[in-house]
Amino acid sequence: MKPAWRGAFLVYVLVAALAAIAPTVISGRQVPANAPTSASSRRLLQYALPPDKLQKSYALYRLDFTLYFATTLWSLVVLLLMLRSRFGGRLRDWAERVSRYRILQAVIVMSLFVLILELTQLPFAAYAHSVGLQYGLSVQTWVSWFGDWGKGLLLEVLFASIAGWILYAVLRRSPQRWWFYFWLAMVPILVLVMFIAPIWIEPLFNRFEPLTGHHADLVAQIERVVHRGGMNIPEQRMFEMKASEKTNELNAYVTGFGRTKRVVVWDTTMEHMTIPQTLFVFGHEMGHYVLGHIPKELTLILIQLLVLMYVGCRLANWAVTRYGSRWGIRSLSDRASLPLLVLILSVLAFLDTPIVNGISRHYEHQADQYGLEVIHGLVPDAHLAAAQAFQILGERSLDYPYVGKLAEFWSWSHPTIRDRMIFVQSYDPWGEGWQPEFVKNAP
Ligand SMILES: [Zn+2]
């Protein structure tokens, strides 16, 4: 595979993807708002936007998709330029001149490498933020935004330095099986990062308060939901995130591992939703929590990473044999190979995107089902509350209603709002006389 061809391939994917979403958009507008056949006799609410928001959401939909492919392609181009200009070799020479300690060399090489990659992506990131401001999704000031960018960069440098040091240490010791040993070393590191994220990383970017602080009434209702699920989630594991300082969007999430595991609800969600709607959102997150989605998804991602490392190793060996002298790379264990390894893994990770998102959509769908099951009977009309929650979520985020199949397949980590809204209204084991799958002790 020649670099030129690789570039052409990505341009092809980009063009094909954009072409594929356009017709769906047009036909999407003509889709009649008819209900799919379901046991429910009432007319289903369809996710829809008023004309002005629809127009904005369509513009955003196209922009996001274009930006996603453009930034991916650009990062690969930057890595290729690094290879052609033998940048990795220069970084190595410079680091070796500054220090004879390998760990310091790793820090120097990784820091500069990450810094340059992030600087080349900065214009795109800043443009994306300006779009968020322009469309009223974000309310974050530029000072705060740059602050977050800087903190993110420092974390990345820290993580990359550790990973880079381990990578070249195993490459030198085991030229054949380094891909496996490196993966093995990454497993506890990734688990550790997930463990400390809620207590050390997330508070760097947002403020968190116990949910009981301002929302005692909601917590009382949440406790009924938790009890219905036959669970025990202590109050100390429920947090409110002060998202309104930065965004107009609504959200909630589950984070952490073992003792740091917790449910977080954005303050914007509670501000714009009724208690039954918020309870559905909470129920969805509780579904992730109860069904163990974090460890399950992490396991699946680690398995994919192992495959990527193996394939990456084979490709890297081939590339060094063939182009090593041209790119100034003596061997794979030479730090000059860094742009090559990152390039190969980036391409493989890009191609793996639909698999990662497909897995995620599966678990998100399960969480929707759990959320509905766990609030059923506790709120007056669970199906309606869930459908309304999705309408509000989608509308606040300007989610385009007519997402193309390819766009969904490739980059949607959640099922589309349209499908989720239909699902929560048509899933009705209670009406159809069979047991719900996850929450059995229904009234
Ligand atoms: Zn979810």
Side-chain angles (χ1 to χ4, degrees):
M1 196 162 47
K2 283 182 189 165
W5 183 83
R6 199 180 290 144
F9 168 72
L10 284 163
V11 171
Y12 165 77
V13 171
L14 173 67
V15 172
L18 290 173
I21 53 171
T24 326
V25 167
I26 296 153
S27 62
R29 282 177 206 273
Q30 293 157 358
V31 168
N34 62 337
T37 50
S38 93
S40 177
S41 58
R42 71 172 163 200
R43 202 167 161 274
L44 302 188
L45 286 176
Q46 296 271 344
Y47 174 54
L49 293 176
D52 59 322
K53 286 187 179 168
L54 182 64
Q55 213 172 14
K56 280 186 180 174
S57 75
Y58 179 54
L60 271 172
Y61 172 66
R62 293 191 61 147
L63 234 146
D64 284 347
F65 214 63
T66 312
L67 260 179
Y68 165 67
F69 281 104
T71 51
T72 305
L73 186 61
W74 171 235
S75 67
L76 301 182
V77 168
V78 169
L79 289 165
L80 257 175
L81 289 174
M82 283 183 175
L83 278 181
R84 294 239 164 144
S85 63
R86 301 177 166 220
F87 178 73
R90 276 185 237 171
L91 265 184
R92 171 205 59 210
D93 294 345
W94 196 69
E96 282 174 2
R97 248 177 282 138
V98 172
S99 173
R100 62 194 178 83
Y101 296 106
R102 287 219 165 106
I103 188 151
L104 274 179
Q105 291 174 359
V107 172
I108 292 167
V109 167
M110 297 311 289
S111 307
L112 288 173
F113 181 72
V114 166
L115 178 68
I116 288 171
L117 280 189
E118 285 299 330
L119 282 175
T120 57
Q121 288 288 332
L122 185 59
F124 289 102
Y127 176 64
H129 180 57
S130 79
V131 168
L133 288 172
Q134 191 192 329
Y135 283 80
L137 296 178
S138 173
V139 290
Q140 190 179 14
T141 63
W142 280 102
V143 173
S144 160
W145 185 84
F146 265 108
D148 283 357
W149 183 81
K151 284 182 255 182
L153 180 68
L154 286 178
L155 285 173
E156 219 182 314
V157 163
L158 180 70
F159 185 75
S161 296
I162 296 169
W165 178 62
I166 295 173
L167 175 65
Y168 284 94
V170 291
L171 258 165
R172 271 191 303 274
R173 282 171 184 76
S174 178
Q176 296 303 317
R177 296 210 185 84
W178 63 271
W179 57 276
F180 179 71
Y181 296 126
F182 178 69
W183 175 83
L184 209 57
M186 282 297 108
V187 174
I189 292 177
L190 287 174
V191 171
L192 182 71
V193 168
M194 293 192 73
F195 181 77
I196 61 164
I199 42 176
W200 286 349
I201 301 177
E202 289 162 27
L204 293 175
F205 297 91
N206 287 292
R207 282 199 301 130
F208 295 88
E209 283 178 10
L211 199 58
T212 36
H214 303 285
H215 306 277
D217 48 339
L218 177 64
V219 173
Q221 295 294 322
I222 283 178
E223 270 164 9
R224 292 174 65 213
V225 174
V226 171
H227 180 71
R228 159 63 61 79
M231 283 297 299
N232 177 26
I233 306 179
E235 280 179 9
Q236 311 86 277
R237 290 186 177 227
M238 296 179 195
F239 289 84
E240 172 185 20
M241 188 182 112
K242 300 289 183 188
S244 57
E245 292 165 3
K246 293 183 179 175
T247 177
N248 284 324
E249 296 185 58
L250 316 181
N251 214 341
Y253 65 98
V254 170
T255 179
F257 218 76
R259 291 186 62 182
T260 66
K261 188 167 157 180
R262 63 198 55 202
V263 175
V264 179
V265 186
W266 290 13
D267 61 346
T268 45
T269 306
M270 289 172 283
E271 194 181 321
H272 294 281
M273 284 187 182
T274 63
I275 286 194
Q277 293 158 3
T278 310
L279 288 180
F280 170 70
V281 172
F282 179 86
H284 169 103
E285 300 310 330
M286 190 179 150
H288 287 309
Y289 188 107
V290 170
L291 303 172
H293 287 171
I294 290 185
K296 283 181 188 167
E297 274 190 72
L298 180 64
T299 307
L300 290 172
I301 284 179
L302 285 171
I303 293 169
Q304 289 168 70
L305 186 63
L306 183 64
V307 176
L308 294 197
M309 291 302 303
Y310 174 72
V311 177
C313 166
R314 302 293 297 258
L315 285 171
N317 280 333
W318 168 83
V320 167
T321 314
R322 185 144 181 196
Y323 300 107
S325 55
R326 193 193 298 178
W327 293 334
I329 303 169
R330 296 171 199 144
S331 73
L332 213 51
S333 61
D334 171 11
R335 281 192 204 286
S337 68
L338 182 64
L340 175 68
L341 285 171
V342 175
L343 175 65
I344 289 172
L345 288 175
S346 300
V347 172
L348 294 176
F350 174 74
L351 298 176
D352 190 37
T353 309
I355 301 175
V356 172
N357 281 328
I359 292 169
S360 170
R361 284 197 302 274
H362 167 73
Y363 288 126
E364 293 301 336
H365 175 72
Q366 272 197 348
D368 283 346
Q369 184 181 329
Y370 187 95
L372 185 68
E373 289 184 11
V374 82
I375 65 162
H376 192 266
L378 290 184
V379 304
D381 185 341
H383 303 279
L384 185 66
Q388 289 166 335
F390 282 129
Q391 174 66 38
I392 297 169
L393 274 177
E395 205 167 327
R396 297 286 306 181
S397 299
L398 291 173
D399 255 307
Y400 184 60
Y402 313 111
V403 175
K405 281 284 162 223
L406 182 65
E408 182 185 359
F409 166 76
W410 198 278
S411 43
W412 255 243
S413 61
H414 291 60
T416 64
I417 294 265
R418 203 180 168 77
D419 290 347
R420 297 173 82 182
M421 242 172 110
I422 297 289
F423 171 74
V424 293
Q425 293 174 92
S426 49
Y427 176 74
D428 189 17
W430 309 275
E432 290 160 13
W434 45 281
Q435 275 281 321
E437 188 180 355
F438 302 122
V439 187
K440 310 271 189 206
N441 57 337

